[in-house]
Amino acid sequence: MHQRQKPSAPEHRSDPAADGGALSMSHNDSPSLLNLSQLVLSAGQIKPSPTLKHSKITYFEVEILDVQSKKQICIVDKVPPASTVLDVKHKFHKACPQWYPSRVGLQLERNGPFLKDSINIQSLAVSSIITLYFTDLGQQVGWTTFFLTEYTGPLLIYLLFYIRLSTIYDQVESRKNFRHPVVHLACFCHCLHYIRHLLETLFVHKFSEGHTPLKNMIKGCAFYWGFTSWIAYYINHPRYTPPSFGHRQVSYAALAFLMCEAGNHFINVALAHQTNSGNRTCFPSPTYNPFTWLFLLVSCPNYTYEAGSWISFTVMTQTLPVGIFAFLMVIQMSLWAQKKHKLYLKRFYPDVRRKAAMIPIIF
């Protein structure tokens, strides 16, 4: 009898209910067997521990293709869900050192916009494999470098013409002719304008994207530096003639110029304060500062004040080069204002829908 029961002994040890039953029968206690069986059945299936459940972390594989040929350049593997597009660019740079992160443009679709560096990679995922298209953006420069270079040039170039170098003007003629006070005033206003731009670039403006193509800086410098040379040459020329209406024209135009410069500064400070505080739920509203009241009429008052500065400078100096430069600046800033106005309409529709972009009624 005992030899026949030995093979079945392991089966009883592998079943907790069977073990319990054997233990209860050994004590001849039937109610205890029933209660223990009900307890085991009510316990249900044992749940895995939380540490085992979350022990595996999901990673993404980012496949990077050339936007033109659609050929695979590389695969960035083991990308954590919390990674950003910038993190992918850094890993891509390790695989392809010739393309540093600021030069890499990544798109989710071939004709789509470039992805911002701050976008979370998990928000782009449909599966564990993410396909992105690569575009070489060319050599890049930082926005701070861009504006410092663009604005430092006009400041120095104008001063070179103001001191009347012998290589620019005839030295004998420069000493004989008397300089009209508007020449000194124009130099002060011109330098003030670009010094304000430089200081705001360093201490006020916050740039969302860190880089821009080098060719953009070259074009911007060619425009500003070239026009500054033309403007400064005429205003500081020994044969320069003062404005037609004399002191009154110069005074009123200079006052308007200074007011526009002050207004532009206070508007930029207000916009920077909104960005730093993180309050993007509503459009900037006017404050006790009268220069900010222009927010009631236009959505881009900084461009309005900038245009006013150059129009005032044109009236004050009464020179053709300044007039042409002011005309081109008004056109360019109106285009920038229209573009920003459309973005404001999407983000702050109730607050912006009754405003003009740059100049009330006209733009």
Side-chain angles (χ1 to χ4, degrees):
M1 297 266 314
H2 292 286
Q3 291 178 356
R4 295 177 189 175
Q5 294 175 354
K6 282 182 181 179
S8 62
E11 297 179 3
H12 290 286
R13 283 196 296 268
S14 63
D15 188 356
D19 291 342
L23 182 62
S24 301
M25 288 299 293
S26 64
H27 290 85
N28 298 322
D29 191 358
S30 300
S32 299
L33 175 62
L34 179 61
N35 294 335
L36 183 60
S37 301
Q38 292 177 349
L39 179 63
V40 173
L41 291 174
S42 63
Q45 188 176 0
I46 300 176
K47 296 181 179 180
S49 61
T51 56
L52 294 177
K53 184 178 180 180
H54 299 286
S55 61
K56 295 183 178 180
I57 301 176
T58 303
Y59 291 97
F60 294 103
E61 288 187 358
V62 180
E63 181 187 26
I64 299 179
L65 308 179
D66 184 78
V67 71
Q68 299 294 337
S69 62
K70 294 185 180 180
K71 292 182 179 180
Q72 184 185 95
I73 300 177
C74 73
I75 293 180
V76 181
D77 57 352
K78 293 185 178 180
V79 178
S83 300
T84 61
V85 172
L86 182 60
D87 297 329
V88 174
K89 288 182 179 181
H90 281 290
K91 291 189 175 184
F92 178 64
H93 173 57
K94 291 181 179 180
C96 304
Q98 68 270 29
W99 292 309
Y100 50 90
S102 62
R103 187 168 182 164
V104 175
L106 296 178
Q107 301 162 273
L108 195 59
E109 299 176 357
R110 294 185 66 189
N111 297 325
F114 290 109
L115 299 174
K116 293 184 178 180
D117 291 343
S118 58
I119 293 179
N120 189 283
I121 202 68
Q122 191 174 14
S123 64
L124 307 174
V126 179
S127 63
S128 60
I129 300 177
I130 303 172
T131 301
L132 298 178
Y133 295 93
F134 161 75
T135 300
D136 183 8
L137 300 178
Q139 192 170 356
Q140 304 286 301
V141 294
W143 277 111
T144 302
T145 304
F146 175 91
F147 287 114
L148 290 179
T149 306
E150 191 175 69
Y151 295 143
T152 303
L155 179 64
L156 299 178
I157 289 172
Y158 196 97
L159 291 175
L160 292 177
F161 282 91
Y162 177 73
I163 62 178
R164 290 183 177 178
L165 296 176
S166 57
T167 55
I168 301 175
Y169 303 109
D170 181 74
Q171 191 67 21
V172 177
E173 189 176 25
S174 299
R175 290 176 180 176
K176 289 182 179 179
N177 286 277
F178 169 75
R179 291 199 190 189
H180 193 275
V182 70
V183 175
H184 304 292
L185 182 60
C187 181
F188 169 78
C189 292
H190 191 275
C191 293
L192 177 65
H193 177 79
Y194 284 102
I195 289 175
R196 178 184 64 81
H197 273 304
L198 291 171
L199 293 177
E200 289 178 351
T201 299
L202 292 173
F203 304 110
V204 177
H205 295 303
K206 302 297 179 182
F207 306 107
S208 56
E209 295 295 333
H211 299 85
T212 186
L214 177 63
K215 61 182 181 180
N216 289 346
M217 188 180 77
I218 295 175
K219 290 190 294 184
C221 290
F223 177 78
Y224 280 98
W225 295 16
F227 262 103
T228 300
S229 301
W230 191 23
I231 291 169
Y233 176 80
Y234 272 84
I235 296 177
N236 296 286
H237 198 281
R239 297 183 181 181
Y240 168 76
T241 55
S244 303
F245 296 96
H247 179 72
R248 179 176 299 180
Q249 178 179 343
V250 173
S251 300
Y252 288 158
L255 180 61
F257 177 87
L258 295 176
M259 291 181 63
C260 289
E261 287 294 302
N264 201 339
H265 172 70
F266 288 121
I267 293 296
N268 288 331
V269 170
L271 294 174
H273 177 72
Q274 181 203 24
T275 303
N276 293 336
S277 62
N279 182 19
R280 295 176 177 270
T281 58
C282 59
F283 188 75
S285 57
T287 63
Y288 61 89
N289 189 336
F291 290 103
T292 63
W293 294 351
L294 200 56
F295 272 123
L296 296 172
L297 301 176
V298 297
S299 59
C300 301
N302 51 328
Y303 294 140
T304 307
Y305 283 122
E306 184 79 7
S309 294
W310 285 112
I311 293 174
S312 303
F313 194 77
T314 302
V315 175
M316 181 178 65
T317 58
Q318 195 173 311
T319 53
L320 180 62
V322 182
I324 295 175
F325 180 74
F327 176 74
L328 295 177
M329 288 294 290
V330 170
I331 293 177
Q332 180 61 72
M333 285 183 289
S334 66
L335 296 176
W336 288 340
Q338 286 288 347
K339 185 177 179 180
K340 280 194 174 183
H341 187 68
K342 291 180 180 178
L343 295 176
Y344 288 153
L345 285 174
K346 295 179 181 179
R347 189 179 301 176
F348 312 111
Y349 175 72
D351 300 319
V352 186
R353 63 188 180 92
R354 294 185 180 275
K355 302 179 189 292
M358 190 179 85
I359 300 176
I361 301 174
I362 298 177
F363 296 113

